[in-house]
Amino acid sequence: MQWQWGNGRYHKYILNPAERLSELSDHRDRLSALPDDILCNHILTRLPLKLAIKCSILSRRWSCLWTRLPSLNFPRQFFRSVASNRKAKMIIKKLLLAGSVQLDSFELEVDKSDFDYIWERKLCNKIAECIDIAASRKVKKIALKNTYSSCSVPSNLFTCDRLVVLCLQNFEISSIPTNFSRFPCLMTCSLQAMLLNDGILEQLIAACPRLESLTLSGCEGLTDLKICSPILGYLNIGIGVGINPDNIDLNSPYCLIPNSITLKCPQLDTLVLETNSVFKRRPEFYQIINAIYDLGVEINVPICRRLCTNLPCVNILNSFPSLEELSMDTYCFHDTVNGRVSILTNPLEKLKKVHVSISVFGEKDLHLVGCILENSPSLETMAVSLPFRSKNCPPASEFDLILMDKLLGLERSSAEATIIII
Amino acid sequence: MAELPNTTMANECKVKLKSKDDKIFEVEYAVAMQSQTLKNALAHTGCTDTALPLHDISSQILAKVIEYCEYHVNAANTISEKDVKTWDEELVKHMDQDTLFRLIVAAKYLEIHNLVDLMCKTIADRIKDKSVEELREIFHVQNDFTPEEEEQVRRETKWAHGE
């Protein structure tokens, strides 16, 4: 019997009764019959660690599978629960020292109760021990997350020379070992709420020739943010993102907002440049951010096609000659402090799609949208989110409606451009 | 070694697959390319009228595999990621165990990585909230330990069993 597939057409094949019977369950243990590779690498690794180990009691086949897990994820309070338990420590050792099995990924999270239970230095030593073993097993991915109090990243992290993915959250990198040269395979790096300095960040990026994706979110200690990376394709900078603004002391040496931003990424395709949205309601932060844009932004991203930002950005659009998609937030335009008018010096030749999110609707927003419309000869869609269209905002006033009409009637340089209100 | 078909040929090329029970399925080239195994095989044979024999895959399972690959080829640029995910979830929601396992083995043999991932994630989800006894019952796992062996394993992994 033959049937044709393609264009989504197909004819249902009807099993004849004899065949249907043989397809019924025969109570075979098909789970255990799966090959090691699938059972271990695809199924057990998706289970919480304790459960994966518990499965060892199922049968002989299962009794040693857990020792060959290629990915390890130590959840929060794991160290605490293991701390006073000698047998548990042997389990951990077994997990980590799985012979020559390559360790695909090692993830770890520590929280307040881990710190409460185990003295900080001891905890950091434990983490260092795990990293040591992970490094010897040529680990490809490391993700360390700390939800309590910042502590130093173990220096042997820099010996993991086969790393492809590195994610760190809420640790401090106070120095890089002198014998560290490179992370030759590192492609993705995510640093969140980290405490570093300019020199360390620069050295780290220079040590990653294959870096394709970098996320820097809510990091402290950077005064002049400089990112020069030859093949970086995706960059996400979150100034103060994830930090509670009430906890910030602007005079402290660990500042969240850099004085300048320099980006030299010839292969960059997508840039996300955001600030903590709560900052926008605090004038003192706002001034600093504006200052960056007046003086200290040098952006060299010749082929960047996508920009997503909630910072005052018309000026920096001049640095994006290849921009095709833009997503922005206009709140920061409502500054009376500088009152400058943003100008586009060159048309955005390739810009096709724009999404503007307006939280307080005013004439300045019309100016901004108009500015873009007049300078984008290839524009296809301009989608505008207006505040009164969202559920929790008050309904449109008469003034809002007048402005909306004006918005829809703005002049545009591209005949095909349509404006949609969402 | 025959060359890979160029684009125009690829559009017209239909790939024939023969299941274990000798049923012939004809799929578009792009659908077959979802399988790394088929991709490599076709690189050797080029576009051919001979059906590729899949000795270990029954027609019922092969039909499901093709259904998956077809959807994903068509969805590639037209359907949102969220909708694709929903479709995947619907596919496995009421799938019986046997089909799941047979599909994993088939998907692994054919090297269709997304399908292997989906199937394994589904099984992991079904294992997650069960006790050891429930797992034995549901998946028909035979306890082949001697009492001494079982005791030793329990002792070694006691930490995992306690809370």
Side-chain angles (χ1 to χ4, degrees):
Chain A
M1 190 177 280
Q2 215 171 349
W3 13 327
Q4 216 111 1
W5 300 76
N7 302 327
R9 293 178 285 112
Y10 66 95
H11 306 286
K12 209 152 189 193
Y13 182 62
I14 300 177
L15 283 168
N16 72 49
E19 276 164 313
R20 192 179 285 153
L21 266 174
S22 70
E23 302 277 285
L24 280 179
S25 168
D26 49 12
H27 294 281
R28 275 170 48 191
D29 178 6
R30 290 187 191 276
L31 180 59
S32 306
L34 290 173
D36 271 9
D37 168 37
I38 294 188
L39 212 44
C40 236
N41 300 1
H42 288 101
I43 297 182
L44 277 182
T45 47
R46 285 195 157 95
L47 301 176
L49 192 59
K50 270 192 175 176
L51 181 57
I53 302 175
K54 247 199 216 179
C55 286
S56 58
I57 208 73
L58 280 172
S59 76
R60 279 184 184 157
R61 164 114 173 79
W62 290 78
S63 62
C64 53
L65 283 179
W66 65 275
T67 59
R68 303 207 292 266
L69 288 171
S71 289
L72 294 174
N73 187 335
F74 292 177
R76 58 171 76 183
Q77 298 175 19
F78 178 81
F79 281 118
R80 183 216 150 117
S81 70
V82 162
S84 52
N85 189 332
R86 197 173 60 89
K87 279 274 157 67
K89 287 182 193 166
M90 283 170 53
I91 292 182
I92 308 313
K93 269 234 155 81
K94 253 195 173 167
L95 273 174
L96 288 168
L97 291 166
S100 59
V101 175
Q102 151 113 52
L103 189 59
D104 284 339
S105 100
F106 177 63
E107 295 183 40
L108 182 157
E109 184 177 334
V110 290
D111 72 358
K112 185 171 187 298
S113 69
D114 291 301
F115 279 93
D116 283 344
Y117 209 74
I118 307 174
W119 182 35
E120 182 183 317
R121 202 163 106 191
K122 208 166 162 198
L123 184 61
C124 292
N125 283 345
K126 287 195 185 307
I127 299 177
E129 274 173 44
C130 295
I131 303 272
D132 229 0
I133 302 175
S136 68
R137 285 178 66 187
K138 305 190 175 54
V139 65
K140 288 200 212 152
K141 173 180 170 184
I142 288 187
L144 305 177
K145 185 170 165 184
N146 177 347
T147 55
Y148 181 51
S149 134
S150 181
C151 67
S152 258
V153 133
S155 57
N156 58 7
L157 181 66
F158 295 94
T159 63
C160 301
D161 57 0
R162 304 292 174 101
L163 273 183
V164 176
V165 177
L166 176 63
C167 302
L168 298 170
Q169 185 169 331
N170 197 12
F171 283 91
E172 178 181 348
I173 305 181
S174 46
S175 67
I176 295 185
T178 39
N179 59 1
F180 170 67
S181 66
R182 311 195 297 169
F183 281 129
C185 318
L186 194 67
M187 297 202 330
T188 304
C189 182
S190 165
L191 302 172
Q192 294 186 59
M194 300 285 293
L195 179 53
L196 331 135
N197 64 45
D198 297 337
I200 287 184
L201 181 66
E202 214 178 314
Q203 192 184 346
L204 193 54
I205 295 176
C208 305
R210 288 231 169 90
L211 196 64
E212 289 179 5
S213 163
L214 175 63
T215 301
L216 271 176
S217 202
C219 293
E220 294 183 52
L222 298 168
T223 44
D224 293 291
L225 179 54
K226 192 168 171 196
I227 298 178
C228 304
S229 180
I231 66 168
L232 196 67
Y234 174 86
L235 176 59
N236 183 325
I237 299 178
I239 298 175
V241 168
I243 311 280
N244 182 349
D246 294 326
N247 294 343
I248 299 165
D249 172 14
L250 273 180
N251 297 321
S252 94
Y254 304 129
C255 67
L256 278 171
I257 306 170
N259 298 327
S260 70
I261 299 178
T262 308
L263 305 178
K264 282 202 178 97
C265 307
Q267 298 288 319
L268 197 71
D269 180 78
T270 304
L271 174 65
V272 176
L273 182 55
E274 291 184 318
T275 184
N276 188 327
S277 57
V278 179
F279 280 9
K280 293 187 283 189
R281 291 184 228 135
R282 300 270 294 270
E284 63 269 30
F285 291 125
Y286 191 58
Q287 286 185 38
I288 299 175
I289 291 174
N290 271 331
I292 301 176
Y293 280 87
D294 279 339
L295 302 168
V297 169
E298 193 191 317
I299 296 184
N300 197 326
V301 291
I303 67 168
C304 186
R305 293 185 306 140
R306 288 192 210 99
L307 171 64
C308 173
T309 180
N310 66 357
L311 288 165
C313 84
V314 172
N315 285 353
I316 67 169
L317 288 181
N318 291 318
S319 309
F320 289 79
S322 308
L323 199 64
E324 289 177 20
E325 287 175 36
L326 171 65
S327 167
M328 52 188 253
D329 190 311
T330 67
Y331 189 89
C332 288
F333 280 89
H334 292 265
D335 62 275
T336 47
V337 175
N338 293 348
R340 67 196 181 299
V341 172
S342 310
I343 298 175
L344 274 174
T345 52
N346 296 312
L348 296 162
E349 301 280 352
K350 302 195 184 158
L351 190 60
K352 293 204 192 99
K353 283 192 209 160
V354 178
H355 174 217
V356 177
S357 186
I358 298 178
S359 30
V360 178
F361 201 11
E363 290 280 352
K364 286 203 171 176
D365 304 292
L366 287 188
H367 167 77
L368 165 73
V369 173
C371 193
I372 296 181
L373 285 171
E374 284 166 20
N375 287 286
S376 44
S378 310
L379 191 65
E380 289 165 14
T381 359
M382 160 84 69
V384 182
S385 303
L386 291 175
F388 43 79
R389 298 285 283 228
S390 76
K391 287 180 203 160
N392 300 325
C393 281
S397 68
E398 213 179 288
F399 181 60
D400 286 330
L401 294 172
I402 296 175
L403 279 182
M404 196 167 85
D405 267 342
K406 276 195 188 172
L407 183 77
L408 290 166
L410 283 173
E411 276 202 24
R412 53 208 83 168
S413 58
S414 158
E416 278 91 46
T418 48
I419 304 181
I420 324 170
I421 310 284
I422 56 178
Chain B
M1 188 165 98
E3 298 227 307
L4 272 170
N6 62 33
T7 343
T8 20
M9 262 185 80
N11 287 338
E12 295 160 5
C13 177
K14 299 275 186 269
V15 178
K16 290 202 170 88
L17 304 168
K18 185 159 83 165
S19 71
K20 171 164 83 174
D21 38 344
D22 288 334
K23 304 284 178 297
I24 310 267
F25 294 71
E26 202 173 84
V27 301
E28 305 240 327
Y29 186 75
V31 175
M33 288 300 103
Q34 299 269 293
S35 151
Q36 197 62 39
T37 311
L38 292 180
K39 197 171 174 183
N40 295 340
L42 287 168
H44 282 277
T45 64
C47 191
T48 167
D49 229 23
T50 329
L52 295 166
L54 301 169
H55 297 296
D56 291 324
I57 306 180
S58 72
S59 51
Q60 185 204 22
I61 298 299
L62 189 52
K64 270 271 177 254
V65 172
I66 292 174
E67 185 185 342
Y68 177 89
C69 293
E70 255 247 324
Y71 179 82
H72 277 250
V73 162
N74 289 336
N77 290 321
T78 50
I79 305 182
S80 77
E81 263 185 54
K82 197 168 137 208
D83 288 337
V84 170
K85 207 162 164 229
T86 314
W87 187 91
D88 281 350
E89 280 164 18
E90 273 307 306
L91 183 72
V92 295
K93 204 152 100 177
H94 298 296
M95 201 178 269
D96 66 277
Q97 266 185 59
D98 282 348
T99 314
L100 263 179
F101 289 125
R102 285 184 222 248
L103 261 177
I104 289 189
V105 174
K108 181 76 182 172
Y109 171 73
L110 289 170
E111 288 186 70
I112 305 171
H113 303 294
N114 292 347
L115 186 54
V116 174
D117 273 347
L118 176 63
M119 295 292 118
C120 289
K121 181 173 177 301
T122 310
I123 293 188
D125 286 341
R126 290 191 191 186
I127 293 180
K128 256 183 204 156
D129 45 11
K130 310 284 189 301
S131 70
V132 169
E133 289 71 33
E134 283 171 324
L135 284 177
R136 281 224 180 92
E137 202 182 299
I138 297 171
F139 293 105
H140 317 297
V141 184
Q142 291 284 55
N143 181 350
D144 55 355
F145 286 123
T146 67
E148 294 81 30
E149 282 171 346
E150 184 168 343
E151 182 51 41
Q152 187 185 9
V153 174
R154 245 184 227 283
R155 250 184 298 126
E156 274 180 0
T157 60
K158 183 169 159 210
W159 162 82
H161 292 279
E163 250 334 307

